Amino acid sequence: MVDVSKWPLFTLLSAQELASIRQACIFGASANEAIYITHDDEVYVLGLNCSNCLGTGDSQSTIVAKKLDCLTGKKLVSLSYGSGPHVLLATEEGELYAWGHNGYSQLGNGTTNQGVSPILVTTNLQNKKVTEVACGSHHSLALTHEGEVFAWGYNNCGQVGSGSTANQPTPRKVSNCLQNKVMVSIACGQTSSMAVADNGEVYGWGYNGNGQLGLGNNGNQLTPSRLIGLQGLFTVSQIASGYAHSLALTDEGLLYAWGANTYGQLGTGNKSNQLSPVQVMTEKERIVEIAACHSTHTSAAKTQSGQVYMWGQCRGQSIVLPHLTHFSSTDDVFACFATPSVMWRLLSMEHDDFLTVAQSLKKEFDNPETSDLKFSVDGKYIHVHKAVLKIRCEHFRSMFQSHWNEDMKEVIEIDQFSYPVYRSFLEFLYTDSVDLPPEDAIGLLDLATSYCENRLKKLCQHIIKRGITVENAFSLLSAAIRYDAEDLEEFCFKFCVNHLTEVTQTAAFWQIDGNMLKEFICRASHCGAFKN
């Protein structure tokens, strides 16, 4: 499962809010807006609110997530955004909602007034069920259940496909050579449009100055035109459009690219534009997913074995050949390397059946069904697996040698540490993370010191530093000295000196022994704490 906190905007949310997310999308010209849907089908937004694209009814930016009540209970099947920005959203019922920038009627309501709240788009779509939406910079596409394509908005290059360059204020069916064709997929570049038919044919229209329509020339197309370069060879199963380049994936797992290549986004090994589709990644295994986004010059692909490649503009660099990453999803490429770091699709957070090794370990912690050992602490059991403990901790590797009594036991009693502390330690061995209040983290620091777990000591120190207050500062300083944590001791000492008056009035200060008090006063005086 993708971790949404890789997108900076989501770090504003609490752990509880993050856990509630079922679907999410980061959008906007600078990746400054976010929309997410909870498991209860409630829709929330947060961010900069450029051009009222949050749909909250006002123009206020917000770092606190706000609910869009009018969309509560509407199950989303497709979401897209233009770089204006404007937002299109299709529901499971086939309804189409739009809001945000509307200078070119890209919301499809016949006006050029900004949409401060989600509006239901109905013109020419009555009795139609919209299944997919796509946005260019300032134009919009919708695909219906019957396989029809509707387009509206900015049309300076023919991206609406109407045969003219006049802007289209409401949804209009794209016909011409799409007439009587059943279309199954749509995509938008910045000012171009593409669609795939159920027989695998690909059509493009709109701006073609970089060859992004793949027609063998660079002339704009005011109506849909079929890509001859992909004709008769195979069936195209997926298309994706970048800012000015295009990708196509065949049902045999072959990848083709064409259009602009200034940043190497075609993956051909050079920066020359391609007016017709060329095959890339020919030496690689079968490709199962491709990714691009109309606001970036970045490309990504995932292979059958789960390897993820990226190329094009990646954090300011031009990568001209597909580069193998350590990511497990194409979404991570856009989170970490695209400029701006938007999402290329509405991201689903649903768990699939597959769990990574790390996820599986985390799931099995304290599971009585699979464990082969119990720790008894404060009268409570914690269920663990000997093999995991031996792999993760030197202390346990030594303990479970045959000459230790513990190796023969099914239950091991622990009396020198509290239950929260020991449980947190064992959970750390399964998850690499710690979630404790600073007062308990002191006990865990003691344990980490006893067991020589240096990384855990650093984590504990981080928790304590983050949670220090006037009330607990002196207790934390005492503990840092006791456990020989020099870095933490220095931090706590400086905090106590900086808040000397308040700290000396706390119970913790008056409970310390005389020697430590003398040492503190002496050390504080050297820092100039008692100067007039």
Side-chain angles (χ1 to χ4, degrees), residues 186-197:
I186 53 176
C188 289
Q190 191 78 356
T191 47
S192 60
S193 304
M194 304 205 78
V196 181

Side-chain angles (χ1 to χ4, degrees), residues 393-420:
C393 178
E394 183 66 43
H395 174 82
F396 290 122
R397 246 192 315 280
S398 301
M399 177 185 285
F400 297 132
Q401 301 300 326
S402 55
H403 56 273
W404 280 53
N405 290 336
E406 281 83 353
D407 193 42
M408 306 304 294
K409 293 181 178 178
E410 291 184 5
V411 180
I412 297 176
E413 300 276 347
I414 299 293
D415 53 18
Q416 63 268 50
F417 300 105
S418 70
Y419 174 81

Side-chain angles (χ1 to χ4, degrees), residues 51-66:
S51 299
N52 302 103
C53 66
L54 294 186
T56 53
D58 57 47
S59 57
Q60 299 300 308
S61 301
T62 175
I63 60 172
V64 177
K66 289 185 178 179

Side-chain angles (χ1 to χ4, degrees), residues 424 427 433-437 463 466:
S424 187
E427 191 168 8
S433 61
V434 175
D435 183 18
L436 274 179
I463 290 169
R466 209 173 49 200

